[in-house]
Amino acid sequence: MDAVTPQRIEGQGTLEADWAGSTWLASLPITSAQDLLEGTRRLLVVSPHPDDEVLACAGLMQAALALGVAVHVVSVTDGEACYPDQALWPPARLRDARRHELAQAVRVLGLDATHVTPLGLPDGGVSTHEAELTAHLTAQLMPADLVVAPWIGDAHPDHEATGRAALAAAHARGARALQYPVWAWHWLDPDASAAPWPTAMRIPMDAAMRSRKREAMQAFATQTGDVEGLDCQPILPAHVTARFHRAFEVLIG
């Protein structure tokens, strides 16, 4: 989840306290990870920036591993453009730091470096490489795979381009595809009369999964601000990470 400038993603956004009272969010149907993953050969999680995969899908990845389903993460960019005005955190340093953070985070979830493919596409420029990304994902997918990627309406250009590429690749290979919201929790209306996604579902996490997810999120120190030399608000302050401490994750069919 990297900083962006669209009007819908400004300020603190919708706080988790408001989401806790959302009728439509609480009314989304519950689907167990076991049911969701039945018949799945491999779970392919496509992440536009290091941390999106953990924020949105850490519980699902843990459940897949517990069920014997292979898990692989495609990290589309290295998130190197997240702090353009921070002299002590230039793109080269951020690129290395964020790859290291991702390796730490997935290790907490039970994965290792062999389960991550970093593509190194430019942070902020995924849309100009969308065809390249689509081709890469198409080559990776098999019909029995489940690919999860950002919601194509998430209001972040990298997220939306990544989501479109994943959907196109899944369609080309006859694989299942689901989408996950990240920035949407910032700007959607928790008091809307109906859910914005008619086919969305909640995937529960048990206490152990939630604990490991929290630990994995903490690995992204450059994003939470737990590093020296950062004199601006981090990308993931506490009011943002709170949206991902729920007892469930949301996927859009």
Side-chain angles (χ1 to χ4, degrees), residues 104-129:
Q104 287 184 300
V106 298
R107 192 176 302 118
V108 171
L109 302 179
L111 303 171
D112 59 35
T114 65
H115 296 90
V116 178
T117 298
L119 298 185
L121 295 184
D123 184 12
V126 177
S127 61
T128 62
H129 295 266

Side-chain angles (χ1 to χ4, degrees), residues 5-116:
T5 56
Q7 185 175 1
R8 286 185 290 180
I9 308 178
E10 293 180 344
Q12 285 198 334
T14 305
L15 298 179
E16 182 57 19
D18 296 315
W19 283 116
S22 173
T23 300
W24 69 255
L25 179 57
S27 299
L28 293 181
I30 296 174
T31 300
S32 71
Q34 183 171 359
D35 288 343
L36 181 68
L37 294 166
E38 184 175 1
T40 299
R41 180 187 79 100
R42 181 180 60 161
L43 173 66
L44 188 70
V45 180
V46 188
S47 174
H49 312 102
D51 71 10
D52 291 312
E53 66 295 299
V54 170
L55 295 173
C57 300
L60 182 63
M61 288 191 281
Q62 292 179 73
L65 291 173
L67 292 167
V69 176
V71 177
H72 198 82
V73 174
V74 175
S75 186
V76 177
T77 81
D78 294 318
E80 71 279 2
C82 60
Y83 295 124
D85 300 321
Q86 297 297 300
L88 294 180
W89 287 97
R93 184 182 184 190
L94 281 164
R95 184 178 294 111
D96 291 343
R98 297 195 70 177
R99 285 199 182 195
H100 178 68
E101 289 169 350
L102 178 57
Q104 287 184 300
V106 298
R107 192 176 302 118
V108 171
L109 302 179
L111 303 171
D112 59 35
T114 65
H115 296 90
V116 178

